[in-house]
Amino acid sequence: MYTSAKSMMDACKEQNKTIYELQLDQEMEASDMTKEEIYDYLRKTYEIMKKSANAGLAEPITSMSGMTGKNAFKVNDYSMNSKSISGSLITKAMARALSTSEVNASMGRIVAAPTAGASGILPATLVTMQDEFDYSDEEIFNALLTASAVGEIIAVNATISGAEGGCQAECGAAAAMAAAAIIELRGGSINDIFTAASFALKNIMGLICDPVCGLVEYPCNLRNASGVVNAIISADLTLAGVEALIPFDETVGAMGNVGKELPVSLKETAIGGIAGTETAQRLYEEFLDK
């Protein structure tokens, strides 16, 4: 296992391989699966991602609690029928991120990438990139492998758990993975991949986890939408030539330290942040009465 971006970049240089090729080698060794079997698994994974990312666009989805829902449908409709400020690619990506979040909140099938709370970011990114630029499935699978390498480094050196590190760990890790996937698809360098991932983490450093009523629902759904935008702009900043002053490995370490310093009330306990507001507390009482 490569436990840092530096070790992975060094290995890529020594072996003349891409990140996804190194990750594929690791998966083959760890799982005892062939390349064909791993790509078949990725195909099945991506199919689930596509279904969850598009389900809420076709018809409104309401959460099990009834507290949220139908937003993916609204944003998709806005994307198609209005002159959005941010453009159709961004609004469509947000709609897809909301869709997976709504599928999750309605007890549907999703891929935790890397967690259920942040499950909309990577699927929305990949599906939108493929829809916009016509990438092949194999190119998407390679991007998935690249994303998994970034997520693994974050998990080993910091955390991907909101209960441990706040939403910066969940939506931050997902956005970093998605930014890395975009760079892979766009043909960026190995250094670009980790630069974009570091930007995505920096952009939401310190973000708390404050789910209303303790449900993985709100503001999780909004943060999935903003997370996919974070991934896209992080990739664009990188491809424009913006350099990372603080490298990826140090950024991950900083995120882990910030997570440790966050008070318990701001780490998925539904005590602080917006979960502690008057309206959130009223909703909690209503939820208990159901």
Side-chain angles (χ1 to χ4, degrees), residues 203-229:
N203 287 343
I204 61 168
M205 186 77 68
L207 183 61
I208 64 174
C209 183
D210 51 349
V212 173
C213 298
L215 302 173
V216 183
E217 190 169 341
Y218 191 91
C220 314
N221 50 8
L222 297 177
R223 290 174 183 167
N224 273 263
S226 63
V228 70
V229 178

Short mmCIF file of all heavy atoms in Angstrom, two decimals, residues 203-229:
data_model
loop_
_atom_site.label_atom_id
_atom_site.label_comp_id
_atom_site.label_asym_id
_atom_site.label_seq_id
_atom_site.Cartn_x
_atom_site.Cartn_y
_atom_site.Cartn_z
N ASN A 203 -10.28 23.90 0.27
CA ASN A 203 -11.46 24.74 0.07
C ASN A 203 -12.51 24.59 1.17
O ASN A 203 -13.32 25.51 1.38
CB ASN A 203 -12.10 24.45 -1.29
CG ASN A 203 -11.29 25.00 -2.44
OD1 ASN A 203 -10.43 25.86 -2.25
ND2 ASN A 203 -11.56 24.51 -3.65
N ILE A 204 -12.54 23.44 1.83
CA ILE A 204 -13.54 23.26 2.90
C ILE A 204 -12.88 22.82 4.21
O ILE A 204 -13.53 22.20 5.05
CB ILE A 204 -14.66 22.28 2.50
CG1 ILE A 204 -14.12 20.89 2.20
CG2 ILE A 204 -15.44 22.81 1.31
CD1 ILE A 204 -15.24 19.86 2.10
N MET A 205 -11.63 23.18 4.39
CA MET A 205 -10.93 22.86 5.64
C MET A 205 -11.71 23.40 6.83
O MET A 205 -12.10 24.57 6.86
CB MET A 205 -9.53 23.47 5.62
CG MET A 205 -8.65 23.09 6.79
SD MET A 205 -7.98 21.41 6.67
CE MET A 205 -6.83 21.56 5.30
N GLY A 206 -11.99 22.53 7.79
CA GLY A 206 -12.68 22.94 9.00
C GLY A 206 -14.19 22.82 8.96
O GLY A 206 -14.87 23.13 9.94
N LEU A 207 -14.75 22.34 7.84
CA LEU A 207 -16.20 22.21 7.73
C LEU A 207 -16.73 21.21 8.75
O LEU A 207 -16.27 20.07 8.81
CB LEU A 207 -16.59 21.77 6.32
CG LEU A 207 -18.09 21.67 6.02
CD1 LEU A 207 -18.79 23.01 6.19
CD2 LEU A 207 -18.31 21.12 4.62
N ILE A 208 -17.71 21.63 9.53
CA ILE A 208 -18.25 20.79 10.60
C ILE A 208 -19.29 19.81 10.07
O ILE A 208 -19.76 19.93 8.93
CB ILE A 208 -18.88 21.65 11.70
CG1 ILE A 208 -20.09 22.43 11.16
CG2 ILE A 208 -17.84 22.61 12.27
CD1 ILE A 208 -20.87 23.20 12.21
N CYS A 209 -19.66 18.84 10.89
CA CYS A 209 -20.73 17.89 10.56
C CYS A 209 -21.87 18.13 11.54
O CYS A 209 -21.74 17.84 12.73
CB CYS A 209 -20.21 16.45 10.66
SG CYS A 209 -21.42 15.20 10.19
N ASP A 210 -22.97 18.67 11.06
CA ASP A 210 -24.07 19.08 11.94
C ASP A 210 -25.43 18.67 11.37
O ASP A 210 -26.26 19.52 11.05
CB ASP A 210 -24.02 20.60 12.18
CG ASP A 210 -23.91 21.40 10.88
OD1 ASP A 210 -23.65 20.79 9.82
OD2 ASP A 210 -24.07 22.63 10.93
N PRO A 211 -25.68 17.37 11.24
CA PRO A 211 -26.91 16.89 10.61
C PRO A 211 -28.16 17.18 11.45
O PRO A 211 -28.23 16.84 12.62
CB PRO A 211 -26.68 15.38 10.50
CG PRO A 211 -25.74 15.06 11.62
CD PRO A 211 -24.84 16.25 11.73
N VAL A 212 -29.14 17.82 10.84
CA VAL A 212 -30.39 18.13 11.50
C VAL A 212 -31.12 16.83 11.86
O VAL A 212 -31.25 15.93 11.02
CB VAL A 212 -31.27 19.02 10.60
CG1 VAL A 212 -32.66 19.22 11.22
CG2 VAL A 212 -30.60 20.38 10.39
N CYS A 213 -31.55 16.72 13.09
CA CYS A 213 -32.22 15.52 13.62
C CYS A 213 -31.30 14.30 13.62
O CYS A 213 -31.78 13.17 13.77
CB CYS A 213 -33.50 15.20 12.86
SG CYS A 213 -34.75 16.49 12.95
N GLY A 214 -30.02 14.51 13.40
CA GLY A 214 -29.08 13.39 13.38
C GLY A 214 -29.18 12.53 12.15
O GLY A 214 -28.61 11.43 12.10
N LEU A 215 -29.88 13.01 11.12
CA LEU A 215 -30.08 12.23 9.89
C LEU A 215 -29.08 12.64 8.82
O LEU A 215 -28.73 13.81 8.70
CB LEU A 215 -31.50 12.45 9.36
CG LEU A 215 -32.64 12.09 10.32
CD1 LEU A 215 -33.97 12.52 9.74
CD2 LEU A 215 -32.64 10.58 10.60
N VAL A 216 -28.64 11.68 8.03
CA VAL A 216 -27.73 11.98 6.92
C VAL A 216 -28.56 12.53 5.76
O VAL A 216 -28.83 11.85 4.79
CB VAL A 216 -26.95 10.71 6.50
CG1 VAL A 216 -25.95 11.04 5.40
CG2 VAL A 216 -26.23 10.11 7.69
N GLU A 217 -28.96 13.78 5.94
CA GLU A 217 -29.96 14.33 5.04
C GLU A 217 -29.76 15.83 4.80
O GLU A 217 -29.62 16.27 3.67
CB GLU A 217 -31.34 14.05 5.64
CG GLU A 217 -32.50 14.33 4.75
CD GLU A 217 -33.80 13.77 5.30
OE1 GLU A 217 -33.76 12.88 6.18
OE2 GLU A 217 -34.86 14.23 4.86
N TYR A 218 -29.78 16.60 5.87
CA TYR A 218 -29.65 18.05 5.74
C TYR A 218 -28.71 18.57 6.83
O TYR A 218 -28.89 18.22 8.00
CB TYR A 218 -31.02 18.73 5.90
CG TYR A 218 -31.01 20.19 5.52
CD1 TYR A 218 -31.29 20.59 4.22
CD2 TYR A 218 -30.68 21.17 6.46
CE1 TYR A 218 -31.26 21.94 3.87
CE2 TYR A 218 -30.65 22.51 6.11
CZ TYR A 218 -30.94 22.88 4.82
OH TYR A 218 -30.91 24.20 4.45
N PRO A 219 -27.66 19.30 6.47
CA PRO A 219 -27.34 19.91 5.17
C PRO A 219 -26.49 19.03 4.26
O PRO A 219 -25.87 19.54 3.32
CB PRO A 219 -26.56 21.15 5.59
CG PRO A 219 -25.79 20.69 6.79
CD PRO A 219 -26.73 19.76 7.51
N CYS A 220 -26.45 17.74 4.53
CA CYS A 220 -25.63 16.82 3.73
C CYS A 220 -25.92 16.95 2.24
O CYS A 220 -25.00 16.94 1.41
CB CYS A 220 -25.87 15.38 4.16
SG CYS A 220 -25.85 15.14 5.95
N ASN A 221 -27.23 17.06 1.88
CA ASN A 221 -27.58 17.13 0.46
C ASN A 221 -27.00 18.39 -0.19
O ASN A 221 -26.49 18.34 -1.31
CB ASN A 221 -29.10 17.04 0.27
CG ASN A 221 -29.88 18.01 1.15
OD1 ASN A 221 -29.32 18.87 1.83
ND2 ASN A 221 -31.20 17.86 1.14
N LEU A 222 -27.08 19.52 0.51
CA LEU A 222 -26.51 20.76 -0.03
C LEU A 222 -25.00 20.65 -0.18
O LEU A 222 -24.42 21.17 -1.15
CB LEU A 222 -26.84 21.93 0.88
CG LEU A 222 -28.33 22.29 1.06
CD1 LEU A 222 -28.47 23.43 2.05
CD2 LEU A 222 -28.96 22.64 -0.28
N ARG A 223 -24.37 19.99 0.76
CA ARG A 223 -22.91 19.87 0.72
C ARG A 223 -22.44 18.88 -0.34
O ARG A 223 -21.30 18.96 -0.80
CB ARG A 223 -22.39 19.50 2.12
CG ARG A 223 -22.56 20.67 3.08
CD ARG A 223 -22.21 20.33 4.50
NE ARG A 223 -22.46 21.49 5.36
CZ ARG A 223 -22.48 21.46 6.68
NH1 ARG A 223 -22.27 20.29 7.31
NH2 ARG A 223 -22.72 22.54 7.39
N ASN A 224 -23.31 17.96 -0.73
CA ASN A 224 -22.99 17.12 -1.88
C ASN A 224 -23.00 17.96 -3.15
O ASN A 224 -22.14 17.81 -4.02
CB ASN A 224 -23.98 15.96 -1.99
CG ASN A 224 -23.58 14.76 -1.18
OD1 ASN A 224 -22.99 13.81 -1.68
ND2 ASN A 224 -23.85 14.81 0.12
N ALA A 225 -23.99 18.85 -3.26
CA ALA A 225 -24.08 19.73 -4.43
C ALA A 225 -22.87 20.67 -4.50
O ALA A 225 -22.25 20.84 -5.56
CB ALA A 225 -25.37 20.53 -4.39
N SER A 226 -22.52 21.27 -3.37
CA SER A 226 -21.36 22.17 -3.38
C SER A 226 -20.07 21.39 -3.52
O SER A 226 -19.07 21.89 -4.06
CB SER A 226 -21.33 23.02 -2.10
OG SER A 226 -21.17 22.21 -0.95
N GLY A 227 -20.08 20.13 -3.07
CA GLY A 227 -18.88 19.29 -3.17
C GLY A 227 -18.49 18.97 -4.61
O GLY A 227 -17.31 18.97 -4.95
N VAL A 228 -19.49 18.73 -5.45
CA VAL A 228 -19.17 18.44 -6.85
C VAL A 228 -18.66 19.69 -7.54
O VAL A 228 -17.77 19.62 -8.40
CB VAL A 228 -20.39 17.83 -7.59
CG1 VAL A 228 -21.49 18.84 -7.81
CG2 VAL A 228 -19.97 17.23 -8.93
N VAL A 229 -19.19 20.85 -7.16
CA VAL A 229 -18.69 22.11 -7.71
C VAL A 229 -17.26 22.35 -7.24
O VAL A 229 -16.40 22.79 -8.01
CB VAL A 229 -19.60 23.29 -7.29
CG1 VAL A 229 -19.04 24.60 -7.82
CG2 VAL A 229 -21.01 23.08 -7.80
#
